[in-house]
């Protein structure tokens, strides 16, 4: 087996193969980018390395400025000798940096077992990222176990923490519609994401992950700050702009979705995110164009990250709004067929599709089929307020009681409004929803109001005009 070389300087040993820095035999925690810079400088000790080559080495495929490099060099100096910052790394004015301490080459030979141990964390990282990219909920438990084992031996590796945070938050996502969501997984995600940001403050993926997690914990303002920082650090990373779009609302969501599509054309999810804003603005033609583009892209790509999940459902709702029940049911059936693929969000989307199917059958007077469809929705998402409202319309009739405490929640207010619409009181239903929207936090609450198949907003446009105007103002 070929020998591998390290570099010794002062009390330090730098092992590029193991990505390890030790001082007198003890590990020295060091983030990935500073390690790359140190390796570049040490391997060419005595030479002046320009800023551009150093930036290219530590931030490949990412646009950053000299300030990022200066901060990383300052961090390295403090790490190596806080009392004499320039003992090891010298600044060459207007040219770059030079490693000035004497360096010796150290030759080591690793066994097969050591090599397997060394590569194990990165195999776990690759497999974990593949699970994240696929959004396949079945792959998440094994990915989490592998990443936790890898992190146990590399606790200061920011990339491993980011990957583990992503797997944990996606595990929470698979349960968020349940009566008892996996809050422990969400807590672990937040902890790993924050620690990754501390380990490498210039790591855009760490901030993007933290923003995604904070949005799930309802810390929306802090989430947006983290997401915006990730985009500033790595503006050409489409994953960051996609997460900014998902965590934003209104025009900010649209801008981020457009930027995502400029960086990664054909990403169906980005088209879907843009469509949600247009629906809230009651701009169905624009929403339809986004959905059509997303469906076309997904049919060409054929990959899970380009999945059309949710788009079939939205297209079905648009057909219902036009009064085309037959075409609507066809699109909704296509959404239901996606459930077998195991996509992260397919269960929620199928619950929404079943609710829409139930609304169609209820409107057509077929109560048994409507009841069955609503029951399918509730089986997948027990807290599906609109499906529950549909069931109550069928099963309890005039005995249906509206919970008095539900008005503060937009979703539940819409569910209460279903009964008022059924009684012919569309103005009262609209006032109820408008009141809930007026006190709701900023965000996309109630965005589906214009397309809801039980409320039938389009059948009483005058009555619903104030509520729709309030919804549009929230989506500016």
């Amino acid at each position: 087996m070929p020998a591998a070389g390290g570099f010794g300087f002062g009390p330090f040993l730098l092992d590029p193969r193991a990505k390890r820095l030790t001082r007198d035999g003890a590990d020295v925690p060091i983030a990935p980018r500073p390690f790359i810079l140190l390796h570049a400088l040490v391997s060419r000790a005595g030479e002046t390395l320009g800023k551009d080559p150093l930036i290219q080495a530590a931030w490949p495929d990412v646009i950053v400025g000299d300030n990022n490099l200066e901060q990383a060099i300052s961090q390295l100096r403090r790490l190596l000798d806080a009392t004499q910052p320039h003992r090891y790394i010298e600044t060459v004015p207007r040219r770059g940096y030079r490693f000035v301490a004497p360096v010796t080459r150290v030759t080591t030979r690793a066994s097969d077992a050591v090599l397997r141990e060394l590569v194990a964390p990165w195999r776990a990282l690759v497999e974990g990222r593949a699970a994240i990219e696929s959004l396949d909920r079945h792959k998440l438990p094994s990915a989490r176990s592998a990443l936790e084992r890898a992190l146990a031996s590399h606790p200061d590796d920011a990339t491993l923490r980011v990957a583990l945070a992503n797997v944990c938050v996606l595990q929470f996502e698979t349960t968020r519609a349940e009566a008892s969501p996996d809050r422990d997984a969400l807590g672990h995600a937040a902890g790993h994401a924050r620690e990754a940001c501390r380990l490498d403050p210039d790591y855009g993926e760490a901030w993007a992950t933290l923003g995604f997690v904070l949005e799930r914990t309802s810390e929306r303002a802090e989430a947006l700050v983290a997401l915006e920082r990730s985009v500033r650090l790595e503006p050409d990373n489409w994953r960051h702009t996609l997460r900014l779009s998902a965590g934003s609302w209104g025009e900010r969501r649209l801008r981020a979705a457009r930027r995502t599509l400029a960086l990664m054309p054909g990403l169906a999810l980005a088209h879907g995110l843009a469509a949600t804003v247009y629906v809230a603005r009651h701009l169905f033609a624009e929403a339809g164009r986004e959905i059509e583009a997303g469906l076309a892209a997904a049919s060409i790509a054929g990959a899970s990250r380009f999945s059309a999940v949710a788009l079939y459902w939205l297209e079905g709702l648009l057909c219902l709004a036009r009064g085309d029940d037959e075409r609507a049911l066809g699109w909704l059936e296509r959404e239901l067929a996606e459930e077998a693929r195991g996509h992260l969000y397919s269960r929620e989307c199928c619950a929404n599709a079943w609710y829409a199917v139930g609304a169609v059958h209820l409107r057509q007077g077929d109560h048994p089929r409507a009841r069955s469809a609503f029951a399918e929705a509730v089986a997948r998402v027990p807290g599906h307020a609109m499906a529950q409202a549909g069931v109550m319309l069928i099963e309890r009739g005039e005995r249906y009681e509206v919970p008095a405490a539900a008005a503060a929640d937009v979703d539940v207010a819409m569910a209460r409004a279903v009964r008022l619409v059924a009684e012919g009181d569309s103005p009262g239903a609209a006032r109820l929803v408008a009141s809930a929207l007026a006190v709701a936090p900023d965000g996309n609450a109630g965005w589906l109001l214009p397309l809801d198949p039980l409320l039938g907003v389009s059948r009483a446009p005058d009555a619903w005009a104030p509520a729709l105007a309030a919804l549009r103002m929230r989506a500016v």
Side-chain angles (χ1 to χ4, degrees):
M1 180 167 293
F7 302 90
F9 53 94
F12 296 97
L13 177 63
L14 181 75
D15 187 345
R17 181 199 62 217
K19 298 187 181 300
R20 185 184 182 201
L21 177 67
T22 59
R23 180 187 180 111
D24 294 327
D27 283 331
V28 177
I30 182 171
R33 297 189 197 278
F35 184 93
I36 293 170
L37 292 173
L38 181 60
H39 181 211
L41 290 164
V42 168
S43 63
R44 297 174 63 179
E47 299 181 34
T48 298
L49 300 187
K51 293 182 178 181
D52 288 344
L54 288 171
I55 289 174
Q56 181 59 34
W59 289 272
D61 304 323
V62 177
I63 299 174
V64 299
D66 290 353
N67 185 56
N68 298 82
L69 176 62
E70 292 166 3
Q71 290 180 8
I73 292 294
S74 178
Q75 180 183 345
L76 273 177
R77 284 170 169 161
R78 292 193 301 270
L79 185 70
L80 297 176
D81 194 334
T83 61
Q84 300 182 53
H86 298 276
R87 176 180 176 185
Y88 292 98
I89 302 172
E90 177 183 83
T91 300
V92 182
R94 295 183 298 279
R95 293 180 60 192
Y97 299 94
R98 179 169 56 221
F99 197 85
V100 293
V103 175
T104 58
R105 293 298 300 264
V106 179
T107 300
T108 59
R109 184 180 295 274
S111 66
D112 289 348
V114 169
L115 290 179
R116 284 194 296 271
E117 181 181 352
L118 289 171
V119 79
W122 319 122
R123 180 183 295 113
L125 181 60
V126 170
E127 293 173 353
R129 284 176 170 168
I132 295 165
E133 288 282 342
S134 70
L135 293 180
D136 186 339
R137 64 179 182 270
H138 303 303
K139 296 180 180 179
L140 297 177
S142 61
R144 179 174 177 176
S145 297
L147 286 166
E148 286 175 337
R149 289 194 299 271
L151 191 63
S153 57
H154 295 76
D156 297 317
D157 191 286
T159 56
L160 287 173
R161 286 196 178 272
V162 165
L164 184 52
N166 276 289
V167 168
C168 288
V169 73
L170 292 184
Q171 283 192 308
F172 165 78
E173 291 285 273
T174 65
T175 67
R176 67 178 185 173
E178 296 177 0
S180 299
D182 191 349
R183 296 285 176 184
D184 286 342
L186 188 61
H188 285 299
H192 290 305
R194 290 187 187 279
E195 186 61 21
C197 291
R198 296 188 188 100
L199 289 168
D200 191 351
D202 294 328
Y203 188 18
E205 186 68 29
W207 290 101
T209 301
L210 179 60
F212 183 64
V213 174
L214 290 176
E215 199 275 332
R216 293 306 185 264
T217 60
S218 299
E219 299 174 70
R220 190 165 183 274
E222 293 300 316
L224 288 174
V225 169
L227 291 166
E228 292 281 10
R229 178 173 173 81
S230 73
V231 172
R232 286 197 302 272
L233 286 170
E234 299 174 2
D236 291 333
N237 190 316
W238 65 267
R239 294 173 179 84
H240 302 348
T241 57
L242 180 66
R243 281 184 162 174
L244 177 59
S245 181
S248 304
W249 186 234
E251 193 62 29
R252 178 181 276 174
R253 171 173 283 191
L254 283 178
R255 288 198 303 269
R258 293 186 190 111
R259 177 59 178 162
T260 302
L261 290 167
L263 295 170
M264 179 59 75
L267 195 64
L269 180 54
H271 286 293
L273 289 169
T276 62
V277 179
Y278 289 129
V279 169
R281 293 178 178 178
H282 211 175
L283 299 174
F284 294 165
E286 288 80 356
R289 282 193 288 271
E290 291 290 348
I291 294 168
E292 182 179 354
L295 290 171
S299 66
I300 294 171
S304 57
R305 73 180 181 190
F306 293 92
S307 171
V309 67
L311 294 183
Y312 300 122
W313 161 62
L314 282 175
E315 182 64 20
L317 292 183
L318 286 175
C319 290
L320 287 181
R322 294 192 295 266
D324 192 343
D325 289 3
E326 184 175 352
R327 282 179 59 83
L329 288 173
W331 285 110
L332 294 171
E333 287 172 3
R334 293 189 66 176
E335 187 70 57
L336 296 175
E338 289 291 303
E339 188 172 22
R341 296 180 182 272
H343 190 280
L344 188 67
Y345 298 109
S346 61
R347 182 171 61 170
E348 290 182 52
C349 291
C350 282
N352 291 333
W354 275 117
Y355 160 65
V357 170
V360 173
H361 292 318
L362 182 60
R363 192 166 65 222
Q364 294 175 345
D366 191 340
H367 286 195
R369 295 178 71 182
R371 182 186 295 106
S372 176
F374 290 142
E376 292 282 359
V378 173
R380 286 160 178 79
V381 178
H384 201 297
M386 299 304 285
Q388 290 174 336
V391 172
M392 299 298 276
L393 280 181
I394 296 170
E395 295 188 350
R396 300 184 66 175
E398 296 301 321
R399 293 176 294 163
Y400 178 69
E401 297 292 336
V402 179
D409 184 279
V410 175
D411 289 339
V412 181
M414 289 172 60
R416 292 180 63 203
V418 167
R419 180 62 180 178
L420 296 176
V421 169
E423 293 173 345
D425 187 9
S426 290
R431 286 194 298 271
L432 179 65
V433 174
S435 297
L437 286 171
V439 298
D442 291 342
N444 65 351
W447 71 272
L448 268 171
L449 174 64
L451 289 179
D452 186 83
L454 279 186
L455 292 177
V457 169
S458 60
R459 296 193 294 272
D462 293 340
W464 284 99
L468 292 175
L471 188 63
R472 281 195 296 271
M473 288 302 298
R474 291 170 58 85
V476 295

